[in-house]
Amino acid sequence: MSQLNPRQEEAKRHVNGALLVLAGAGSGKTSVITQKIAYLIDECQIPADRIVAMTFTNKASREMKERVKKLISGERVRGLTVSTFHQFGLQFLRYELKHTALKSNFSIMDADDSKRLLAELMVRDNLSGAERADTVAVAVKKISDWKNDLIAPEDVLETLDDPEDKVFAHLYGLYERNLRAYNAVDFDDLIVLPARILKENDQVRHKWQNRIRYLLVDEYQDTNTAQYELIKLLVGTSARFTVVGDDDQSIYAWRGAKPENMALLKKDFPNLTVIKLEQNYRSTNRILSSANAVIANNEHLFTKELWSDKGHGELVRVLTCMDEMAEAERVAKEILTHRIRHSNTWDQYAVLYRSNFQARVLETELRSLQIPYKLSGGTSFFARAEVKDVMSYLRLILNPDDDSAFLRIINTPKRGMGSATLEKLGLLAQQYGISLLSACSHAGLKTAIGTKASNTLHGFADFIEHYTRELYDNADPMPLVRQMMIETGYLDYIKEDSKNTQQEKNRLDNIESLYQSIGNLIERAEDDDERTIEAVIRKMMLLDMLEQQQEEQNTNKVNLMTLHAAKGLEFDYVYIMGVEEDILPHKNSIASNTIEEERRLMYVGITRARHELTLLFAQKRRMGKDFKQTTPSRFLDELPIDHIDYPAKGTAKKDPKQVANQYLANIQAMLAQKRKG
């Protein structure tokens, strides 16, 4: 969208003082942000390297940067920072390393590493529940929430409501001490540590406030406490910033997002200007009227009403199905016949649902009708065992204190290190306050674990040390990385460990993709500091490889995804399944009285549709061996009757002549399609 509407133009030109752009779904917020960046550089003469734009996903930051480059040519865009919050935090820690307890080769631990470390700490401290994944998951969530609320381990006890949480508070302190001993940070630290440094160090804070002449933040409604504090500390009293968000699309409270940060903005920046973007460029007015009517039942600090110049469009359909099998069959057959009648492509259709289990029956129906589909939310590239293994070798080379990486690879491939040997190695490391890798070269190793095992471990330590020297000294590290993995015997291990040739090929292909990605990052690096293997591996830990892969795959398939995963996307024809009490809204939200977020989720689902929207519910669903009667969702009662085709509610009917003409047109389209075939 090169031509901005009056409200968008106003948002673009507002540069003096704090600005909140309340951007409704499909209102062209990315255009506003990218054109505002161009305006700041072109018209306001702010150098690109003094402008920072932050968002939440790698995909969004890539798209934003590419669009800015189309507006601003050549050198004038050089130095512009468009990144995720976590990428910005990583860069900040690199610049301000001396103000942390970290060494320059620190590691970034992923979610699995954190879980494993917490489980080990629970065992080591004789805490109950270490063997149970749900207990460890609770510990991970509690600690992450405390960190994102900027509550330090020593202050947690004062905030506890539940006495049982004392165990997790104790665990939080142990976890933080071990992270520092490993010379590592977790994902939360990439926001929390910069926020703490800026808050506690006047000199650093003033330096960054002077350095950043203008700050822009996308998807502001998804910020947590630490992210909001980071924004506030970076802009200071000058308040030269624009945040863009929509409180009606805040659907991530479960991972710490706080829509109340909208209200905090008004409190902390009393002169805040609010500009509403209400013109929707995506959907018809019947779809938008439905979205407006549903979300109006939530309390609002700021109100808005979406509208479109795309006409009324089709009625929003509400379909009643006998059970989940009938629901899935109805969706699959409708997509098949609709596509043939209208000569559409498969990727114009999306089926959305509240929880992943709802897709199982639908997949069976789609396969039986030979309808190609893409199921979003598969295994992340970095969650694949072979990718984590290779990354762990590289992490250990870059950071010899990374005990988590050491434990993952010391027996991958097998080196005959049993749990008893590793336990003794761990005791030796604890006794002398050193890492597990350092313990492999310690003078007391042979006495602690015996000659054979000590020789193996000593050889492993020499191997890692050799490649550490080689990789740091080499301007082209990729051939060395490949050679290292061959020498470990890991590729042979993959061949032996795979169940069949196809699995072997897939795993080796994943490793090759990882190599290529590392090489691409080195080639694309903008300066020498970013071109090192150390900087690239850190960046790899933050990249969502799955996004990149999906973009490259054949996308002419029906899209299946959760409502959460659909945020930010749009499709011509949308089906939302399971619009029932206990599913949407979810039973946990009903029990905890957090219906407002579920209503925002419904709003997000409705506003994904461009042309047609269909909502479905089943009269009964299978619960184990039995069926359970269901209740239609309360959100269906909130829909505007004039825009809904909902026979159960005696709703609006189509003009018979219009129906007949449409039917005739459909038949002609089917015949034309058949002749083409």
Side-chain angles (χ1 to χ4, degrees):
M1 187 167 45
S2 57
Q3 189 67 39
L4 299 182
N5 67 40
R7 295 285 77 76
Q8 293 172 324
E9 188 69 27
E10 185 184 353
K12 182 185 86 171
R13 292 178 178 277
H14 187 287
V15 295
N16 294 317
L19 173 64
L20 166 62
V21 179
L22 200 66
S27 62
K29 66 182 177 65
T30 306
S31 290
V32 172
I33 295 173
T34 52
Q35 293 213 32
K36 182 157 192 169
I37 292 171
Y39 178 76
L40 291 168
I41 296 170
D42 263 346
E43 304 294 330
C44 303
Q45 301 299 307
I46 299 177
D49 62 358
R50 307 292 292 277
I51 299 171
V52 173
M54 286 192 263
T55 186
F56 280 83
T57 68
N58 295 298
K59 181 181 178 182
S61 65
R62 283 197 305 272
E63 181 187 348
M64 206 179 290
K65 202 163 191 176
E66 285 164 8
R67 286 170 74 162
V68 171
K69 284 179 178 176
K70 288 177 183 176
L71 296 170
I72 302 286
S73 58
E75 287 295 309
R76 295 168 60 230
V77 78
R78 187 172 176 80
L80 173 69
T81 297
V82 181
S83 71
T84 65
F85 274 92
H86 291 89
Q87 286 168 340
F88 176 85
L90 178 59
Q91 283 292 85
F92 181 95
L93 291 178
R94 282 186 59 227
Y95 287 128
E96 306 299 343
L97 194 67
K98 64 183 178 183
H99 299 293
T100 72
L102 299 166
K103 290 178 276 189
S104 62
N105 58 343
F106 66 88
S107 298
I108 302 171
M109 294 180 70
D110 65 16
D112 285 345
D113 295 328
S114 295
K115 285 178 188 174
R116 190 162 52 248
L117 173 56
L118 283 168
E120 288 170 9
L121 292 173
M122 291 171 80
V123 170
R124 197 186 304 170
D125 230 45
N126 292 320
L127 301 176
S128 61
E131 71 288 349
R132 292 173 51 192
D134 56 341
T135 307
V136 177
V138 170
V140 169
K141 180 73 167 66
K142 295 265 186 196
I143 290 171
S144 181
D145 286 348
W146 285 325
K147 291 179 92 161
N148 286 320
D149 284 340
L150 295 175
I151 303 171
E154 58 270 21
D155 299 325
V156 165
L157 289 174
E158 299 170 19
T159 70
L160 296 185
D161 296 323
D162 186 346
E164 292 184 10
D165 284 349
K166 284 185 179 179
V167 173
F168 297 116
H170 170 69
L171 195 59
Y172 180 20
L174 290 177
Y175 174 73
E176 287 293 278
R177 287 197 294 275
N178 274 267
L179 273 184
R180 300 304 163 256
Y182 289 179
N183 187 34
V185 295
D186 62 19
F187 278 7
D188 294 329
D189 285 327
L190 295 176
I191 310 296
V192 172
L193 291 180
R196 282 186 182 152
I197 293 168
L198 287 166
K199 188 173 184 178
E200 295 165 5
N201 192 308
D202 294 346
Q203 185 181 356
V204 173
R205 184 171 64 255
H206 292 146
K207 179 176 78 176
W208 280 84
Q209 287 176 358
N210 289 329
R211 178 177 178 178
I212 298 176
R213 291 269 301 279
Y214 207 90
L215 178 69
L216 304 99
V217 179
D218 190 17
E219 302 288 8
Y220 174 74
Q221 76 280 348
D222 293 337
T223 55
N224 59 33
T225 298
Q227 286 161 335
Y228 176 66
E229 193 68 18
L230 181 67
I231 293 166
K232 197 167 74 168
L233 291 164
L234 286 171
V235 300
T237 55
S238 67
R240 294 187 298 265
F241 71 88
T242 294
V243 298
V244 182
D246 181 4
D247 49 347
D248 290 333
Q249 295 188 74
S250 182
I251 58 173
Y252 296 120
W254 50 277
R255 67 184 191 199
K258 296 196 172 177
E260 55 266 34
N261 284 350
M262 293 275 192
L264 273 181
L265 265 184
K266 219 170 184 181
K267 177 187 169 189
D268 292 335
F269 301 95
N271 296 323
L272 177 74
T273 298
V274 179
I275 296 174
K276 300 177 186 180
L277 304 184
E278 296 173 293
Q279 182 176 359
N280 176 283
Y281 291 89
R282 175 187 300 159
S283 308
T284 63
N285 275 300
R286 278 184 166 138
I287 291 169
L288 297 178
S289 295
S290 301
N292 288 333
V294 169
I295 206 64
N297 292 277
N298 275 3
E299 290 186 14
H300 285 86
L301 178 66
F302 307 101
T303 58
K304 64 181 183 305
E305 191 88 1
L306 295 180
W307 62 276
S308 165
D309 60 6
K310 294 185 176 296
H312 284 305
E314 295 290 324
L315 292 168
V316 173
R317 295 188 306 153
V318 179
L319 303 180
T320 307
C321 304
M322 186 173 66
D323 55 27
E324 69 264 36
M325 295 292 293
E327 180 186 49
E329 184 180 0
R330 181 74 182 263
V331 170
K333 286 184 176 177
E334 281 218 0
I335 290 174
L336 181 64
T337 55
H338 191 280
R339 174 184 172 270
I340 293 171
R341 284 173 181 167
H342 297 278
S343 302
N344 291 333
T345 55
W346 294 116
D347 59 353
Q348 290 177 266
Y349 300 87
V351 186
L352 312 181
Y353 34 81
R354 177 63 177 82
S355 303
N356 279 309
F357 78 86
Q358 293 171 257
R360 294 171 194 159
V361 180
L362 179 60
E363 284 190 82
T364 303
E365 287 297 324
L366 293 172
R367 280 198 296 267
S368 71
L369 294 175
Q370 297 184 317
I371 297 174
Y373 65 90
K374 181 174 69 175
L375 187 67
S376 295
T379 304
S380 164
F381 184 84
F382 274 106
R384 300 179 191 278
E386 59 274 10
V387 174
K388 287 180 73 73
D389 290 340
V390 176
M391 287 294 289
S392 292
Y393 272 98
L394 293 170
R395 280 170 48 190
L396 189 60
I397 279 171
L398 300 176
N399 177 12
D401 296 330
D402 193 335
D403 283 359
S404 180
F406 176 92
L407 288 170
R408 181 171 186 93
I409 62 174
I410 188 59
N411 262 333
T412 312
K414 301 291 184 189
R415 293 185 178 88
M417 297 294 112
S419 57
T421 301
L422 291 175
E423 189 175 340
K424 290 174 185 175
L425 181 69
L427 290 171
L428 180 68
Q430 283 181 31
Q431 182 183 346
Y432 291 97
I434 56 178
S435 69
L436 292 173
L437 184 63
S438 297
C440 292
S441 303
H442 194 272
L445 182 66
K446 190 178 291 187
T447 304
I449 66 172
T451 303
K452 184 179 178 183
S454 67
N455 286 342
T456 301
L457 290 172
H458 195 74
F460 178 77
D462 285 346
F463 173 84
I464 295 295
E465 186 184 346
H466 166 73
Y467 273 100
T468 300
R469 286 195 308 270
E470 293 290 317
L471 282 169
Y472 271 101
D473 292 342
N474 202 300
D476 181 15
M478 284 316 302
L480 280 170
V481 172
R482 291 175 180 275
Q483 180 61 31
M484 176 186 73
M485 294 312 299
I486 292 170
E487 284 190 34
T488 61
Y490 185 75
L491 301 186
D492 292 330
Y493 159 78
I494 288 286
K495 294 172 185 175
E496 294 166 9
D497 187 61
S498 298
K499 294 175 182 175
N500 51 56
T501 53
Q502 186 58 49
Q503 187 186 53
E504 176 191 326
K505 181 181 183 303
N506 291 342
R507 294 171 76 181
L508 291 174
D509 284 349
N510 286 334
I511 293 171
E512 185 58 35
S513 293
L514 178 64
Y515 291 160
Q516 289 174 6
S517 297
I518 295 172
N520 289 340
L521 279 176
I522 291 171
E523 285 177 21
R524 292 202 306 265
E526 293 183 358
D527 55 56
D528 290 340
D529 288 342
E530 291 294 306
R531 209 167 279 120
T532 65
I533 187 74
E534 179 184 355
V536 165
I537 296 306
R538 283 214 199 103
K539 217 174 233 183
M540 294 293 286
M541 293 297 293
L542 297 177
L543 283 178
D544 188 346
M545 296 287 291
L546 190 61
E547 282 182 349
Q548 293 179 27
Q549 287 187 325
Q550 285 177 342
E551 287 163 17
E552 292 160 8
Q553 290 171 355
N554 171 26
T555 56
N556 189 20
K557 299 174 182 177
V558 174
N559 299 275
L560 312 186
M561 65 186 69
T562 65
L563 288 159
H564 282 98
K567 184 171 173 290
L569 304 177
E570 56 187 66
F571 308 94
D572 289 338
Y573 309 100
V574 171
Y575 295 79
I576 303 179
M577 296 170 58
V579 189
E580 303 153 21
E581 294 290 297
D582 291 344
I583 293 181
L584 183 64
H586 194 275
K587 60 184 178 182
N588 292 345
S589 296
I590 296 171
S592 60
N593 197 27
T594 53
I595 297 297
E596 288 209 342
E597 176 141 341
E598 293 293 297
R599 188 174 281 109
R600 292 194 290 268
L601 203 53
M602 180 73 173
Y603 173 85
V604 165
I606 291 171
T607 54
R608 298 311 93 195
R610 293 192 190 104
H611 304 317
E612 294 180 20
L613 173 66
T614 303
L615 311 173
L616 303 98
F617 67 90
Q619 294 175 314
K620 60 182 180 180
R621 281 190 188 273
R622 188 178 292 278
M623 302 288 288
K625 293 182 179 178
D626 302 318
F627 280 96
K628 178 188 173 186
Q629 292 298 123
T630 67
T631 304
S633 170
R634 68 193 72 188
F635 302 146
L636 295 176
D637 294 332
E638 297 170 357
L639 295 168
I641 198 82
D642 293 342
H643 299 299
I644 307 300
D645 181 4
Y646 187 2
K649 294 290 180 183
T651 54
K653 300 293 181 184
K654 293 183 181 178
D655 173 27
K657 189 175 180 182
Q658 180 189 350
V659 172
N661 288 338
Q662 183 63 51
Y663 184 71
L664 181 63
N666 287 343
I667 291 173
Q668 290 170 340
M670 289 180 75
L671 291 172
Q673 179 76 9
K674 198 168 184 179
R675 282 195 294 273
K676 283 181 187 176

